[in-house]
Amino acid sequence: MYFKKLITTSILMLFMAGAVLAQDVTLNVQDNYEMRLDGEANVRSWGADITELRGSLVLAEMEERSIQNLTPDTFKEMTLTIPVESLDSGSGGLNKNMHKYLKEDDYPNITFTLSEVTSVEVQEDGSALISANGTVNAAGKDHNITMSVTAKMNDDGSINFVGEQDLLMTSFDIDPPTAVFGTVRARDEMVITFNVNFN
């Protein structure tokens, strides 16, 4: 009877130890990010820096955090939040218009939520090309996207993601703005570029 209890207890302890080892790891966006939104009009281009970014990345526990150990199943969750007020073009008038068209009063944040990572391809230079699906919410509207991102491991153990994503204003029910009695017209297409570290 004693040995039966001992064996049962040992098995339970091993199971619990395995559960602890299998715990997910949460990484957060670091302050040294770069992110920008750019677009075109019929007379000139426009752009805005994103001056505030919050977000987290949840990874399955790995024996060693490395690019080579990344798989689609490693990525459990990712969320990014951009306050609309953090879009800064350097022009007060343009900032005001961007915030208006993004309906800042009703929807103060732009968000990205990862749905799934579909592939991770390790490259010869040690980086990885990651394909993923996710949802961008802006002006209260969801838009599903497919994206390609380059990932690499920094010396401090943080993970760096670099890429760009094409978007359309009309995907979020935003009519491309016009000015000067319609003679200046913004194009529907936009691109967001990013260089973000998680640790």
Side-chain angles (χ1 to χ4, degrees), residues 120-158:
V120 178
E121 300 178 7
V122 178
Q123 308 297 299
E124 291 183 1
D125 63 0
S127 65
L129 183 62
I130 297 174
S131 297
N133 299 321
T135 302
V136 177
N137 180 284
K141 299 294 181 180
D142 286 339
H143 176 61
N144 297 327
I145 62 171
T146 297
M147 58 196 309
S148 294
V149 180
T150 299
K152 68 177 183 179
M153 196 68 63
N154 295 321
D155 292 339
D156 63 358
S158 62

Side-chain angles (χ1 to χ4, degrees), residues 5 10 19 25 29 36 40 42-43 47 56-58 62 64 74 82 109 125 129 138 140 151 158 160 166 187 189 199:
K5 286 184 177 180
S10 299
V25 176
V29 169
R36 183 174 172 84
E40 299 283 342
N42 61 322
V43 292
S56 62
L57 168 65
V58 179
M62 296 179 282
E64 179 185 0
T74 303
I82 301 167
N109 295 314
D125 63 0
L129 183 62
S158 62
N160 172 256
D166 293 328
R187 292 177 181 155
E189 298 83 1
N199 203 0

